[in-house]
């Protein structure tokens, strides 16, 4: 049985549970149970605080865990990074009161900085030869300058709305973070086999993200021109139609270039363009 440590609440919890569901690993949520077994897969979920996950994986309490890169780097636990999951993205930044005329990192010399990430901040300051007074605080870091507890803060930033609400502005991005899948270095061979299947499913889900399956009818005389503008994974599928002068073309498009390419297809006389989302994609 493979055990995965997951944050017990918050955005990382929601994104992780959504990924497991899309990988067809069915977990019945329970507010009272910290350890829940999947209904249809040899995996159990251990719900923990986010800052406890690196240690639980490093010590073998859990085989794998989903944790923010910021927490993993801060805790400095001895575990492997198995995969970058691409969700729950944020950044660790330095922020100061918005009225201050900021001229550069030297401003922080001798200043008191409140943070829940002292190890990351200390390394950054040392690397840049800045002598700041690091004040460790848990929770509500952003209010520190407003109540006179610190001159600045070092904290997680997503949209930046919390900073604005507290009359702060972001001045330096120190670390960009996303969800990581980490693993115990001494994982059993049996659980490594289960993990391989989990990774296979995760990759199938991630490969389908931001992709669209596109079908269209086109004059046979324009097929090669249409193929030339399609950046599909491989050669598109060409299907003959009842009318010998027409055929159906099927391909996969990246959503980022979708409208650009659709416009070109219309210029090349493609008709009846049908677009559907992709749930999974096996490469």
């Amino acid at each position: 049985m493979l055990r995965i440590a997951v944050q017990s609440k918050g955005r990382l919890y929601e994104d992780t549970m959504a990924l497991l569901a899309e990988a067809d690993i069915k977990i019945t949520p329970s507010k009272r149970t910290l350890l829940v077994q999947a209904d249809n897969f040899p995996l159990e979920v251990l719900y923990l605080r986010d800052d406890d996950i690196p240690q639980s994986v490093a010590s073998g309490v859990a085989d794998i865990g989903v944790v923010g890169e910021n927490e993993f780097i801060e805790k400095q636990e001895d575990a492997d990074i198995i995969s970058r999951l691409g969700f729950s993205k944020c950044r660790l930044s330095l922020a100061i009161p918005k009225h201050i005329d900021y001229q550069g990192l030297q401003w922080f010399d001798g200043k008191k900085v409140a943070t829940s990430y002292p190890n990351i901040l200390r390394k950054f300051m040392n690397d840049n030869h800045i002598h700041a007074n690091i004040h460790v605080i848990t929770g509500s870091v952003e209010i520190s300058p407003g109540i006179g507890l610190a001159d600045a803060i070092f904290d997680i930033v997503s949209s930046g709305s919390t900073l604005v609400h507290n009359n702060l502005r972001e001045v330096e991005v120190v670390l960009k973070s996303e969800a990581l899948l980490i693993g115990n270095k001494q994982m059993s061979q049996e659980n490594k086999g289960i993990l391989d299947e989990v990774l296979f499913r995760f990759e199938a889900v991630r490969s389908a993200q931001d992709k669209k399956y596109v079908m269209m009818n086109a004059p046979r005389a324009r097929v090669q021109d249409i193929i030339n503008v399609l950046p599909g994974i491989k050669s598109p599928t060409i299907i003959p139609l009842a009318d010998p002068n027409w055929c159906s073309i099927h391909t996969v498009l990246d959503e980022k270039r979708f409208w650009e390419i659709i416009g070109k297809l219309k210029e090349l006389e493609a008709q009846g363009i049908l677009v559907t989302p992709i749930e999974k994609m096996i490469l």
Side-chain angles (χ1 to χ4, degrees), residues 19-240:
L19 177 59
L20 290 171
E22 289 172 359
D24 197 32
I25 299 175
K26 294 180 169 54
I27 309 293
T28 303
S30 175
K31 293 183 179 180
R32 296 183 178 181
T33 307
L34 296 179
L35 187 63
V36 179
Q37 186 173 333
D39 299 331
N40 62 339
F41 194 82
L43 177 141
E44 56 186 5
V45 177
L46 175 63
Y47 296 109
L48 296 172
R49 285 166 44 98
D50 56 347
D51 52 358
D52 290 333
I53 292 176
Q55 184 182 35
S56 73
V57 174
S59 65
V61 172
D63 300 295
I64 58 175
V66 177
V67 65
E69 187 172 1
N70 53 307
E71 286 292 348
F72 183 66
I73 294 175
E74 174 64 25
K75 297 304 180 184
Q76 302 177 352
E77 295 287 350
D78 189 22
D80 291 327
I81 297 177
I82 297 172
S83 177
R84 292 181 171 272
L85 297 177
F87 56 74
S88 296
K89 292 185 177 181
C90 63
R91 55 195 182 274
L92 277 175
S93 297
L94 286 159
I96 64 175
K98 64 181 183 181
H99 67 272
I100 291 176
D101 180 23
Y102 181 73
Q103 298 295 325
L105 272 176
Q106 286 302 130
W107 182 88
F108 289 96
D109 222 359
K111 297 294 194 301
K112 182 183 287 186
V113 183
T115 185
S116 299
Y117 300 92
N119 291 328
I120 296 174
L121 179 58
R122 189 173 294 110
K123 182 180 185 305
F124 177 77
M125 291 299 185
N126 289 340
D127 289 346
N128 288 278
H129 309 291
I130 303 295
H131 301 288
N133 180 8
I134 298 174
H135 183 67
V136 181
I137 188 172
T138 57
S140 302
V141 173
E142 65 276 359
I143 70 171
S144 300
I147 62 176
L149 189 61
D151 301 300
I153 69 166
F154 176 62
D155 202 17
I156 291 176
V157 178
S158 293
S159 65
S161 59
T162 302
L163 295 181
V164 172
H165 182 71
N166 287 276
N167 295 314
L168 300 171
R169 65 186 177 100
E170 185 179 10
V171 292
E172 300 285 346
V173 176
V174 174
L175 174 71
K176 291 184 178 180
S177 175
E178 64 180 291
L180 301 178
L181 182 67
I182 61 173
N184 178 263
K185 291 180 176 292
Q186 306 299 323
M187 194 185 314
S188 70
Q189 288 301 316
E190 178 183 358
N191 283 342
K192 284 181 180 179
I194 301 172
L195 174 60
D196 287 343
E197 175 63 23
V198 171
L199 293 174
F200 173 76
R201 295 190 185 194
F202 283 2
E203 185 58 33
V205 172
R206 292 177 62 193
S207 296
Q209 291 174 351
D210 301 323
K211 300 290 193 303
K212 301 293 183 183
Y213 190 76
V214 181
M215 297 167 277
M216 72 201 79
N217 294 335
R220 186 172 291 278
R222 305 307 300 267
V223 168
Q224 190 56 53
D225 293 331
I226 289 174
I227 290 174
N228 290 340
V229 303
L230 291 177
I233 299 172
K234 291 185 179 179
S235 177
T237 300
I238 312 296
I239 303 173

Side-chain angles (χ1 to χ4, degrees), residues 209-212 253-259:
Q209 291 174 351
D210 301 323
K211 300 290 193 303
K212 301 293 183 183
L253 294 181
D254 193 306
E255 196 166 26
K256 292 178 181 178
R257 295 192 59 197
F258 175 77
W259 290 111

